[in-house]
PDB file of all heavy atoms in Angstrom:
ATOM      1  N   GLU A   1     -16.038  14.055   7.049  1.00  0.00           N
ATOM      2  CA  GLU A   1     -15.923  12.742   6.560  1.00  0.00           C
ATOM      3  C   GLU A   1     -16.036  12.544   5.065  1.00  0.00           C
ATOM      4  O   GLU A   1     -15.214  11.854   4.492  1.00  0.00           O
ATOM      5  CB  GLU A   1     -17.004  11.822   7.284  1.00  0.00           C
ATOM      6  CG  GLU A   1     -16.872  10.284   7.003  1.00  0.00           C
ATOM      7  CD  GLU A   1     -15.644   9.730   7.589  1.00  0.00           C
ATOM      8  OE1 GLU A   1     -15.152  10.204   8.691  1.00  0.00           O
ATOM      9  OE2 GLU A   1     -15.167   8.762   7.018  1.00  0.00           O
ATOM     10  N   ASP A   2     -16.974  13.202   4.538  1.00  0.00           N
ATOM     11  CA  ASP A   2     -17.074  13.094   3.021  1.00  0.00           C
ATOM     12  C   ASP A   2     -15.869  13.731   2.318  1.00  0.00           C
ATOM     13  O   ASP A   2     -15.459  13.218   1.334  1.00  0.00           O
ATOM     14  CB  ASP A   2     -18.392  13.941   2.697  1.00  0.00           C
ATOM     15  CG  ASP A   2     -19.612  13.156   3.081  1.00  0.00           C
ATOM     16  OD1 ASP A   2     -19.619  11.983   3.409  1.00  0.00           O
ATOM     17  OD2 ASP A   2     -20.692  13.885   3.114  1.00  0.00           O
ATOM     18  N   ALA A   3     -15.338  14.831   2.800  1.00  0.00           N
ATOM     19  CA  ALA A   3     -14.200  15.532   2.216  1.00  0.00           C
ATOM     20  C   ALA A   3     -13.006  14.545   2.331  1.00  0.00           C
ATOM     21  O   ALA A   3     -12.197  14.418   1.342  1.00  0.00           O
ATOM     22  CB  ALA A   3     -13.943  16.803   2.840  1.00  0.00           C
ATOM     23  N   LEU A   4     -12.838  13.967   3.486  1.00  0.00           N
ATOM     24  CA  LEU A   4     -11.687  13.026   3.648  1.00  0.00           C
ATOM     25  C   LEU A   4     -11.800  11.761   2.704  1.00  0.00           C
ATOM     26  O   LEU A   4     -10.764  11.270   2.153  1.00  0.00           O
ATOM     27  CB  LEU A   4     -11.530  12.629   5.071  1.00  0.00           C
ATOM     28  CG  LEU A   4     -11.042  13.664   6.058  1.00  0.00           C
ATOM     29  CD1 LEU A   4     -11.151  13.174   7.495  1.00  0.00           C
ATOM     30  CD2 LEU A   4      -9.726  14.088   5.769  1.00  0.00           C
ATOM     31  N   GLU A   5     -13.046  11.241   2.578  1.00  0.00           N
ATOM     32  CA  GLU A   5     -13.258  10.138   1.734  1.00  0.00           C
ATOM     33  C   GLU A   5     -13.053  10.459   0.268  1.00  0.00           C
ATOM     34  O   GLU A   5     -12.390   9.718  -0.491  1.00  0.00           O
ATOM     35  CB  GLU A   5     -14.693   9.600   1.896  1.00  0.00           C
ATOM     36  CG  GLU A   5     -14.922   8.203   1.232  1.00  0.00           C
ATOM     37  CD  GLU A   5     -16.332   7.713   1.668  1.00  0.00           C
ATOM     38  OE1 GLU A   5     -16.619   7.830   2.816  1.00  0.00           O
ATOM     39  OE2 GLU A   5     -16.897   7.168   0.732  1.00  0.00           O
ATOM     40  N   LYS A   6     -13.547  11.626  -0.161  1.00  0.00           N
ATOM     41  CA  LYS A   6     -13.314  12.101  -1.492  1.00  0.00           C
ATOM     42  C   LYS A   6     -11.751  12.205  -1.838  1.00  0.00           C
ATOM     43  O   LYS A   6     -11.268  11.802  -2.865  1.00  0.00           O
ATOM     44  CB  LYS A   6     -14.018  13.462  -1.695  1.00  0.00           C
ATOM     45  CG  LYS A   6     -13.794  13.953  -3.234  1.00  0.00           C
ATOM     46  CD  LYS A   6     -14.538  15.339  -3.271  1.00  0.00           C
ATOM     47  CE  LYS A   6     -14.276  15.879  -4.612  1.00  0.00           C
ATOM     48  NZ  LYS A   6     -14.754  17.288  -4.804  1.00  0.00           N
ATOM     49  N   ASN A   7     -11.060  12.790  -0.891  1.00  0.00           N
ATOM     50  CA  ASN A   7      -9.627  12.981  -1.038  1.00  0.00           C
ATOM     51  C   ASN A   7      -8.939  11.659  -1.129  1.00  0.00           C
ATOM     52  O   ASN A   7      -8.010  11.349  -1.947  1.00  0.00           O
ATOM     53  CB  ASN A   7      -9.024  13.833   0.205  1.00  0.00           C
ATOM     54  CG  ASN A   7      -7.575  14.080  -0.104  1.00  0.00           C
ATOM     55  OD1 ASN A   7      -7.217  14.226  -1.184  1.00  0.00           O
ATOM     56  ND2 ASN A   7      -6.859  14.258   0.959  1.00  0.00           N
ATOM     57  N   ALA A   8      -9.373  10.596  -0.332  1.00  0.00           N
ATOM     58  CA  ALA A   8      -8.770   9.401  -0.376  1.00  0.00           C
ATOM     59  C   ALA A   8      -9.016   8.647  -1.700  1.00  0.00           C
ATOM     60  O   ALA A   8      -8.144   7.913  -2.149  1.00  0.00           O
ATOM     61  CB  ALA A   8      -9.304   8.402   0.774  1.00  0.00           C
ATOM     62  N   THR A   9     -10.177   8.786  -2.287  1.00  0.00           N
ATOM     63  CA  THR A   9     -10.497   8.138  -3.585  1.00  0.00           C
ATOM     64  C   THR A   9      -9.845   8.824  -4.762  1.00  0.00           C
ATOM     65  O   THR A   9      -9.372   8.151  -5.670  1.00  0.00           O
ATOM     66  CB  THR A   9     -11.998   8.075  -3.840  1.00  0.00           C
ATOM     67  OG1 THR A   9     -12.620   9.373  -3.839  1.00  0.00           O
ATOM     68  CG2 THR A   9     -12.755   7.223  -2.826  1.00  0.00           C
ATOM     69  N   GLU A  10      -9.705  10.131  -4.628  1.00  0.00           N
ATOM     70  CA  GLU A  10      -8.977  10.850  -5.729  1.00  0.00           C
ATOM     71  C   GLU A  10      -7.476  10.686  -5.736  1.00  0.00           C
ATOM     72  O   GLU A  10      -6.760  10.673  -6.773  1.00  0.00           O
ATOM     73  CB  GLU A  10      -9.320  12.318  -5.699  1.00  0.00           C
ATOM     74  CG  GLU A  10     -10.682  12.654  -6.095  1.00  0.00           C
ATOM     75  CD  GLU A  10     -11.073  14.129  -6.007  1.00  0.00           C
ATOM     76  OE1 GLU A  10     -10.219  14.872  -5.572  1.00  0.00           O
ATOM     77  OE2 GLU A  10     -12.230  14.507  -6.372  1.00  0.00           O
ATOM     78  N   ASN A  11      -6.873  10.486  -4.546  1.00  0.00           N
ATOM     79  CA  ASN A  11      -5.452  10.400  -4.324  1.00  0.00           C
ATOM     80  C   ASN A  11      -5.155   9.218  -3.507  1.00  0.00           C
ATOM     81  O   ASN A  11      -4.855   9.308  -2.296  1.00  0.00           O
ATOM     82  CB  ASN A  11      -4.900  11.677  -3.724  1.00  0.00           C
ATOM     83  CG  ASN A  11      -5.160  12.876  -4.508  1.00  0.00           C
ATOM     84  OD1 ASN A  11      -5.014  12.888  -5.719  1.00  0.00           O
ATOM     85  ND2 ASN A  11      -5.619  13.906  -3.818  1.00  0.00           N
ATOM     86  N   PRO A  12      -5.251   8.027  -4.082  1.00  0.00           N
ATOM     87  CA  PRO A  12      -4.870   6.849  -3.323  1.00  0.00           C
ATOM     88  C   PRO A  12      -3.444   6.834  -2.820  1.00  0.00           C
ATOM     89  O   PRO A  12      -2.571   7.453  -3.366  1.00  0.00           O
ATOM     90  CB  PRO A  12      -5.200   5.637  -4.193  1.00  0.00           C
ATOM     91  CG  PRO A  12      -5.282   6.177  -5.514  1.00  0.00           C
ATOM     92  CD  PRO A  12      -5.586   7.656  -5.423  1.00  0.00           C
ATOM     93  N   ALA A  13      -3.191   6.127  -1.710  1.00  0.00           N
ATOM     94  CA  ALA A  13      -1.851   6.140  -1.038  1.00  0.00           C
ATOM     95  C   ALA A  13      -0.801   5.598  -1.969  1.00  0.00           C
ATOM     96  O   ALA A  13       0.276   6.026  -2.081  1.00  0.00           O
ATOM     97  CB  ALA A  13      -1.794   5.400   0.236  1.00  0.00           C
ATOM     98  N   ASN A  14      -1.103   4.569  -2.763  1.00  0.00           N
ATOM     99  CA  ASN A  14      -0.093   3.984  -3.627  1.00  0.00           C
ATOM    100  C   ASN A  14       0.086   4.691  -4.974  1.00  0.00           C
ATOM    101  O   ASN A  14       1.000   4.371  -5.737  1.00  0.00           O
ATOM    102  CB  ASN A  14      -0.493   2.485  -3.895  1.00  0.00           C
ATOM    103  CG  ASN A  14      -1.762   2.383  -4.700  1.00  0.00           C
ATOM    104  OD1 ASN A  14      -2.539   3.344  -4.942  1.00  0.00           O
ATOM    105  ND2 ASN A  14      -2.039   1.123  -5.181  1.00  0.00           N
ATOM    106  N   GLU A  15      -0.765   5.786  -5.159  1.00  0.00           N
ATOM    107  CA  GLU A  15      -0.518   6.585  -6.361  1.00  0.00           C
ATOM    108  C   GLU A  15       0.728   7.328  -6.372  1.00  0.00           C
ATOM    109  O   GLU A  15       1.436   7.489  -7.340  1.00  0.00           O
ATOM    110  CB  GLU A  15      -1.721   7.526  -6.538  1.00  0.00           C
ATOM    111  CG  GLU A  15      -1.618   8.299  -7.840  1.00  0.00           C
ATOM    112  CD  GLU A  15      -2.815   9.327  -8.000  1.00  0.00           C
ATOM    113  OE1 GLU A  15      -3.904   8.765  -8.115  1.00  0.00           O
ATOM    114  OE2 GLU A  15      -2.608  10.437  -8.085  1.00  0.00           O
ATOM    115  N   ASP A  16       1.172   7.729  -5.116  1.00  0.00           N
ATOM    116  CA  ASP A  16       2.485   8.387  -4.955  1.00  0.00           C
ATOM    117  C   ASP A  16       3.634   7.427  -5.345  1.00  0.00           C
ATOM    118  O   ASP A  16       4.594   7.831  -5.980  1.00  0.00           O
ATOM    119  CB  ASP A  16       2.721   8.895  -3.564  1.00  0.00           C
ATOM    120  CG  ASP A  16       1.782  10.042  -3.264  1.00  0.00           C
ATOM    121  OD1 ASP A  16       1.307  10.719  -4.210  1.00  0.00           O
ATOM    122  OD2 ASP A  16       1.475  10.252  -2.085  1.00  0.00           O
ATOM    123  N   ALA A  17       3.556   6.150  -4.994  1.00  0.00           N
ATOM    124  CA  ALA A  17       4.491   5.183  -5.331  1.00  0.00           C
ATOM    125  C   ALA A  17       4.610   5.017  -6.888  1.00  0.00           C
ATOM    126  O   ALA A  17       5.651   4.954  -7.454  1.00  0.00           O
ATOM    127  CB  ALA A  17       4.262   3.883  -4.660  1.00  0.00           C
ATOM    128  N   LYS A  18       3.326   4.935  -7.461  1.00  0.00           N
ATOM    129  CA  LYS A  18       3.326   4.738  -8.886  1.00  0.00           C
ATOM    130  C   LYS A  18       3.932   5.941  -9.597  1.00  0.00           C
ATOM    131  O   LYS A  18       4.644   5.848 -10.603  1.00  0.00           O
ATOM    132  CB  LYS A  18       1.852   4.592  -9.375  1.00  0.00           C
ATOM    133  CG  LYS A  18       1.357   3.209  -9.096  1.00  0.00           C
ATOM    134  CD  LYS A  18      -0.078   2.994  -9.537  1.00  0.00           C
ATOM    135  CE  LYS A  18      -0.656   1.749  -9.176  1.00  0.00           C
ATOM    136  NZ  LYS A  18      -2.099   1.594  -9.643  1.00  0.00           N
ATOM    137  N   THR A  19       3.542   7.183  -9.061  1.00  0.00           N
ATOM    138  CA  THR A  19       4.084   8.317  -9.686  1.00  0.00           C
ATOM    139  C   THR A  19       5.616   8.365  -9.580  1.00  0.00           C
ATOM    140  O   THR A  19       6.250   8.838 -10.527  1.00  0.00           O
ATOM    141  CB  THR A  19       3.577   9.536  -9.025  1.00  0.00           C
ATOM    142  OG1 THR A  19       2.111   9.540  -9.127  1.00  0.00           O
ATOM    143  CG2 THR A  19       3.995  10.884  -9.635  1.00  0.00           C
ATOM    144  N   LEU A  20       6.138   8.000  -8.431  1.00  0.00           N
ATOM    145  CA  LEU A  20       7.579   7.937  -8.223  1.00  0.00           C
ATOM    146  C   LEU A  20       8.266   6.992  -9.186  1.00  0.00           C
ATOM    147  O   LEU A  20       9.264   7.288  -9.800  1.00  0.00           O
ATOM    148  CB  LEU A  20       7.963   7.582  -6.775  1.00  0.00           C
ATOM    149  CG  LEU A  20       9.374   7.587  -6.481  1.00  0.00           C
ATOM    150  CD1 LEU A  20      10.086   8.956  -6.690  1.00  0.00           C
ATOM    151  CD2 LEU A  20       9.577   7.073  -4.986  1.00  0.00           C
ATOM    152  N   GLU A  21       7.564   5.800  -9.367  1.00  0.00           N
ATOM    153  CA  GLU A  21       8.189   4.768 -10.348  1.00  0.00           C
ATOM    154  C   GLU A  21       8.105   5.330 -11.723  1.00  0.00           C
ATOM    155  O   GLU A  21       9.015   5.198 -12.540  1.00  0.00           O
ATOM    156  CB  GLU A  21       7.387   3.578 -10.155  1.00  0.00           C
ATOM    157  CG  GLU A  21       7.580   2.718  -8.921  1.00  0.00           C
ATOM    158  CD  GLU A  21       6.661   1.575  -8.717  1.00  0.00           C
ATOM    159  OE1 GLU A  21       5.861   1.291  -9.658  1.00  0.00           O
ATOM    160  OE2 GLU A  21       6.709   0.915  -7.704  1.00  0.00           O
ATOM    161  N   ASP A  22       7.064   6.003 -12.065  1.00  0.00           N
ATOM    162  CA  ASP A  22       6.855   6.541 -13.381  1.00  0.00           C
ATOM    163  C   ASP A  22       8.021   7.632 -13.681  1.00  0.00           C
ATOM    164  O   ASP A  22       8.588   7.660 -14.672  1.00  0.00           O
ATOM    165  CB  ASP A  22       5.572   7.191 -13.627  1.00  0.00           C
ATOM    166  CG  ASP A  22       4.388   6.241 -13.694  1.00  0.00           C
ATOM    167  OD1 ASP A  22       4.678   4.989 -13.955  1.00  0.00           O
ATOM    168  OD2 ASP A  22       3.237   6.626 -13.573  1.00  0.00           O
ATOM    169  N   LEU A  23       8.176   8.451 -12.646  1.00  0.00           N
ATOM    170  CA  LEU A  23       9.210   9.523 -12.769  1.00  0.00           C
ATOM    171  C   LEU A  23      10.630   8.900 -12.947  1.00  0.00           C
ATOM    172  O   LEU A  23      11.458   9.369 -13.730  1.00  0.00           O
ATOM    173  CB  LEU A  23       9.156  10.423 -11.600  1.00  0.00           C
ATOM    174  CG  LEU A  23       7.951  11.339 -11.538  1.00  0.00           C
ATOM    175  CD1 LEU A  23       7.976  12.164 -10.356  1.00  0.00           C
ATOM    176  CD2 LEU A  23       7.815  12.315 -12.767  1.00  0.00           C
ATOM    177  N   GLN A  24      10.818   7.845 -12.099  1.00  0.00           N
ATOM    178  CA  GLN A  24      12.117   7.185 -12.287  1.00  0.00           C
ATOM    179  C   GLN A  24      12.326   6.511 -13.615  1.00  0.00           C
ATOM    180  O   GLN A  24      13.409   6.611 -14.188  1.00  0.00           O
ATOM    181  CB  GLN A  24      12.262   6.130 -11.178  1.00  0.00           C
ATOM    182  CG  GLN A  24      12.558   6.739  -9.754  1.00  0.00           C
ATOM    183  CD  GLN A  24      12.527   5.786  -8.693  1.00  0.00           C
ATOM    184  OE1 GLN A  24      11.985   4.660  -8.834  1.00  0.00           O
ATOM    185  NE2 GLN A  24      13.099   6.088  -7.507  1.00  0.00           N
ATOM    186  N   ALA A  25      11.257   5.991 -14.102  1.00  0.00           N
ATOM    187  CA  ALA A  25      11.363   5.360 -15.477  1.00  0.00           C
ATOM    188  C   ALA A  25      11.596   6.476 -16.481  1.00  0.00           C
ATOM    189  O   ALA A  25      12.415   6.289 -17.518  1.00  0.00           O
ATOM    190  CB  ALA A  25      10.102   4.616 -15.798  1.00  0.00           C
ATOM    191  N   LYS A  26      10.969   7.635 -16.340  1.00  0.00           N
ATOM    192  CA  LYS A  26      11.217   8.742 -17.376  1.00  0.00           C
ATOM    193  C   LYS A  26      12.621   9.240 -17.252  1.00  0.00           C
ATOM    194  O   LYS A  26      13.310   9.496 -18.270  1.00  0.00           O
ATOM    195  CB  LYS A  26      10.233   9.872 -17.016  1.00  0.00           C
ATOM    196  CG  LYS A  26       8.797   9.641 -17.484  1.00  0.00           C
ATOM    197  CD  LYS A  26       7.984  10.904 -17.250  1.00  0.00           C
ATOM    198  CE  LYS A  26       6.518  10.587 -17.753  1.00  0.00           C
ATOM    199  NZ  LYS A  26       5.656  11.752 -17.500  1.00  0.00           N
ATOM    200  N   VAL A  27      13.112   9.378 -16.012  1.00  0.00           N
ATOM    201  CA  VAL A  27      14.539   9.727 -15.874  1.00  0.00           C
ATOM    202  C   VAL A  27      15.425   8.819 -16.502  1.00  0.00           C
ATOM    203  O   VAL A  27      16.392   9.208 -17.206  1.00  0.00           O
ATOM    204  CB  VAL A  27      14.802   9.981 -14.333  1.00  0.00           C
ATOM    205  CG1 VAL A  27      16.314  10.078 -14.089  1.00  0.00           C
ATOM    206  CG2 VAL A  27      14.080  11.202 -13.815  1.00  0.00           C
ATOM    207  N   SER A  28      15.272   7.475 -16.280  1.00  0.00           N
ATOM    208  CA  SER A  28      16.093   6.490 -16.974  1.00  0.00           C
ATOM    209  C   SER A  28      15.973   6.569 -18.503  1.00  0.00           C
ATOM    210  O   SER A  28      17.071   6.507 -19.165  1.00  0.00           O
ATOM    211  CB  SER A  28      15.622   5.131 -16.498  1.00  0.00           C
ATOM    212  OG  SER A  28      15.809   4.890 -15.175  1.00  0.00           O
ATOM    213  N   GLY A  29      14.811   6.848 -19.026  1.00  0.00           N
ATOM    214  CA  GLY A  29      14.686   6.989 -20.397  1.00  0.00           C
ATOM    215  C   GLY A  29      15.355   8.242 -20.911  1.00  0.00           C
ATOM    216  O   GLY A  29      16.137   8.166 -22.023  1.00  0.00           O
ATOM    217  N   PHE A  30      15.329   9.341 -20.204  1.00  0.00           N
ATOM    218  CA  PHE A  30      16.072  10.585 -20.586  1.00  0.00           C
ATOM    219  C   PHE A  30      17.523  10.319 -20.598  1.00  0.00           C
ATOM    220  O   PHE A  30      18.301  10.853 -21.412  1.00  0.00           O
ATOM    221  CB  PHE A  30      15.669  11.751 -19.712  1.00  0.00           C
ATOM    222  CG  PHE A  30      14.239  12.269 -19.938  1.00  0.00           C
ATOM    223  CD1 PHE A  30      13.435  12.680 -18.867  1.00  0.00           C
ATOM    224  CD2 PHE A  30      13.669  12.328 -21.166  1.00  0.00           C
ATOM    225  CE1 PHE A  30      12.177  13.177 -19.067  1.00  0.00           C
ATOM    226  CE2 PHE A  30      12.411  12.850 -21.424  1.00  0.00           C
ATOM    227  CZ  PHE A  30      11.657  13.201 -20.319  1.00  0.00           C
ATOM    228  N   GLU A  31      18.035   9.598 -19.553  1.00  0.00           N
ATOM    229  CA  GLU A  31      19.479   9.339 -19.367  1.00  0.00           C
ATOM    230  C   GLU A  31      19.957   8.481 -20.606  1.00  0.00           C
ATOM    231  O   GLU A  31      21.017   8.750 -21.143  1.00  0.00           O
ATOM    232  CB  GLU A  31      19.745   8.696 -18.086  1.00  0.00           C
ATOM    233  CG  GLU A  31      19.635   9.580 -16.828  1.00  0.00           C
ATOM    234  CD  GLU A  31      19.823   8.929 -15.548  1.00  0.00           C
ATOM    235  OE1 GLU A  31      19.666   7.689 -15.529  1.00  0.00           O
ATOM    236  OE2 GLU A  31      19.980   9.582 -14.543  1.00  0.00           O
ATOM    237  N   ALA A  32      19.185   7.439 -20.960  1.00  0.00           N
ATOM    238  CA  ALA A  32      19.501   6.597 -22.053  1.00  0.00           C
ATOM    239  C   ALA A  32      19.540   7.462 -23.343  1.00  0.00           C
ATOM    240  O   ALA A  32      20.374   7.235 -24.239  1.00  0.00           O
ATOM    241  CB  ALA A  32      18.519   5.434 -22.197  1.00  0.00           C
ATOM    242  N   ASN A  33      18.590   8.313 -23.511  1.00  0.00           N
ATOM    243  CA  ASN A  33      18.517   9.195 -24.707  1.00  0.00           C
ATOM    244  C   ASN A  33      19.672  10.089 -24.763  1.00  0.00           C
ATOM    245  O   ASN A  33      20.214  10.329 -25.826  1.00  0.00           O
ATOM    246  CB  ASN A  33      17.113   9.964 -24.720  1.00  0.00           C
ATOM    247  CG  ASN A  33      16.913  10.736 -25.998  1.00  0.00           C
ATOM    248  OD1 ASN A  33      17.256  10.267 -27.078  1.00  0.00           O
ATOM    249  ND2 ASN A  33      16.339  11.935 -25.958  1.00  0.00           N
ATOM    250  N   GLU A  34      20.035  10.699 -23.626  1.00  0.00           N
ATOM    251  CA  GLU A  34      21.199  11.561 -23.548  1.00  0.00           C
ATOM    252  C   GLU A  34      22.497  10.859 -23.945  1.00  0.00           C
ATOM    253  O   GLU A  34      23.223  11.450 -24.665  1.00  0.00           O
ATOM    254  CB  GLU A  34      21.329  12.202 -22.154  1.00  0.00           C
ATOM    255  CG  GLU A  34      22.514  13.166 -22.070  1.00  0.00           C
ATOM    256  CD  GLU A  34      22.646  13.728 -20.686  1.00  0.00           C
ATOM    257  OE1 GLU A  34      22.033  13.328 -19.684  1.00  0.00           O
ATOM    258  OE2 GLU A  34      23.533  14.650 -20.615  1.00  0.00           O
ATOM    259  N   THR A  35      22.562   9.579 -23.444  1.00  0.00           N
ATOM    260  CA  THR A  35      23.760   8.839 -23.779  1.00  0.00           C
ATOM    261  C   THR A  35      23.846   8.585 -25.324  1.00  0.00           C
ATOM    262  O   THR A  35      24.874   8.677 -25.987  1.00  0.00           O
ATOM    263  CB  THR A  35      23.759   7.534 -23.061  1.00  0.00           C
ATOM    264  OG1 THR A  35      23.732   7.795 -21.667  1.00  0.00           O
ATOM    265  CG2 THR A  35      24.913   6.641 -23.355  1.00  0.00           C
ATOM    266  N   ALA A  36      22.661   8.220 -25.893  1.00  0.00           N
ATOM    267  CA  ALA A  36      22.608   7.900 -27.340  1.00  0.00           C
ATOM    268  C   ALA A  36      22.905   9.156 -28.165  1.00  0.00           C
ATOM    269  O   ALA A  36      23.603   9.176 -29.144  1.00  0.00           O
ATOM    270  CB  ALA A  36      21.223   7.423 -27.704  1.00  0.00           C
ATOM    271  N   VAL A  37      22.475  10.376 -27.706  1.00  0.00           N
ATOM    272  CA  VAL A  37      22.723  11.591 -28.433  1.00  0.00           C
ATOM    273  C   VAL A  37      24.211  11.983 -28.344  1.00  0.00           C
ATOM    274  O   VAL A  37      24.821  12.352 -29.405  1.00  0.00           O
ATOM    275  CB  VAL A  37      21.849  12.730 -27.792  1.00  0.00           C
ATOM    276  CG1 VAL A  37      22.362  14.054 -28.353  1.00  0.00           C
ATOM    277  CG2 VAL A  37      20.425  12.467 -28.191  1.00  0.00           C
ATOM    278  N   GLN A  38      24.743  11.750 -27.151  1.00  0.00           N
ATOM    279  CA  GLN A  38      26.223  12.034 -27.031  1.00  0.00           C
ATOM    280  C   GLN A  38      27.086  11.070 -27.863  1.00  0.00           C
ATOM    281  O   GLN A  38      28.012  11.546 -28.541  1.00  0.00           O
ATOM    282  CB  GLN A  38      26.664  11.824 -25.563  1.00  0.00           C
ATOM    283  CG  GLN A  38      26.203  12.944 -24.579  1.00  0.00           C
ATOM    284  CD  GLN A  38      27.015  14.189 -24.788  1.00  0.00           C
ATOM    285  OE1 GLN A  38      27.867  14.302 -25.575  1.00  0.00           O
ATOM    286  NE2 GLN A  38      26.640  15.239 -24.030  1.00  0.00           N
ATOM    287  N   GLU A  39      26.745   9.828 -27.976  1.00  0.00           N
ATOM    288  CA  GLU A  39      27.470   8.921 -28.843  1.00  0.00           C
ATOM    289  C   GLU A  39      27.266   9.258 -30.260  1.00  0.00           C
ATOM    290  O   GLU A  39      28.359   9.157 -31.047  1.00  0.00           O
ATOM    291  CB  GLU A  39      26.964   7.449 -28.582  1.00  0.00           C
ATOM    292  CG  GLU A  39      27.306   6.905 -27.213  1.00  0.00           C
ATOM    293  CD  GLU A  39      26.770   5.583 -26.896  1.00  0.00           C
ATOM    294  OE1 GLU A  39      25.959   5.052 -27.663  1.00  0.00           O
ATOM    295  OE2 GLU A  39      27.098   5.008 -25.809  1.00  0.00           O
ATOM    296  N   ALA A  40      26.113   9.639 -30.713  1.00  0.00           N
ATOM    297  CA  ALA A  40      25.854   9.973 -32.044  1.00  0.00           C
ATOM    298  C   ALA A  40      26.645  11.268 -32.448  1.00  0.00           C
ATOM    299  O   ALA A  40      27.156  11.373 -33.542  1.00  0.00           O
ATOM    300  CB  ALA A  40      24.290  10.188 -32.345  1.00  0.00           C
ATOM    301  N   LEU A  41      26.696  12.279 -31.569  1.00  0.00           N
ATOM    302  CA  LEU A  41      27.438  13.490 -31.829  1.00  0.00           C
ATOM    303  C   LEU A  41      28.931  13.155 -31.821  1.00  0.00           C
ATOM    304  O   LEU A  41      29.615  13.736 -32.705  1.00  0.00           O
ATOM    305  CB  LEU A  41      27.123  14.457 -30.708  1.00  0.00           C
ATOM    306  CG  LEU A  41      25.898  15.354 -30.839  1.00  0.00           C
ATOM    307  CD1 LEU A  41      25.579  16.213 -29.715  1.00  0.00           C
ATOM    308  CD2 LEU A  41      25.981  16.216 -32.177  1.00  0.00           C
ATOM    309  N   THR A  42      29.415  12.347 -30.983  1.00  0.00           N
ATOM    310  CA  THR A  42      30.780  11.978 -31.036  1.00  0.00           C
ATOM    311  C   THR A  42      31.163  11.322 -32.342  1.00  0.00           C
ATOM    312  O   THR A  42      32.225  11.649 -32.940  1.00  0.00           O
ATOM    313  CB  THR A  42      31.160  11.090 -29.814  1.00  0.00           C
ATOM    314  OG1 THR A  42      30.785  11.731 -28.650  1.00  0.00           O
ATOM    315  CG2 THR A  42      32.666  10.741 -29.831  1.00  0.00           C
TER     316      THR A  42
END
C-alpha cells in the first residue's frame, strides 16, 4: 500500500497529459524555428 501510494504521489495521472502537452508545445516551437531558419537561409 505504501509503495503504491508513493508511486501515485510521485507520478500523478495527469502528469502524463502535461508532459504530452509540453512535448507537443516543444515540437511546435521546433517546427516554427525550423521554418524561420529555412526562410532566413533562402
Side-chain angles (χ1 to χ4, degrees):
E1 183 68 27
D2 292 343
L4 289 172
E5 190 172 318
K6 179 181 176 188
N7 188 29
T9 57
E10 289 178 357
N11 301 315
N14 64 353
E15 185 176 299
D16 291 338
K18 287 180 184 176
T19 303
L20 181 60
E21 290 172 4
D22 291 343
L23 290 175
Q24 288 174 337
K26 284 183 180 180
V27 167
S28 297
F30 288 141
E31 288 172 348
N33 188 35
E34 181 183 8
T35 302
V37 167
Q38 285 287 0
E39 290 172 356
L41 277 173
T42 302

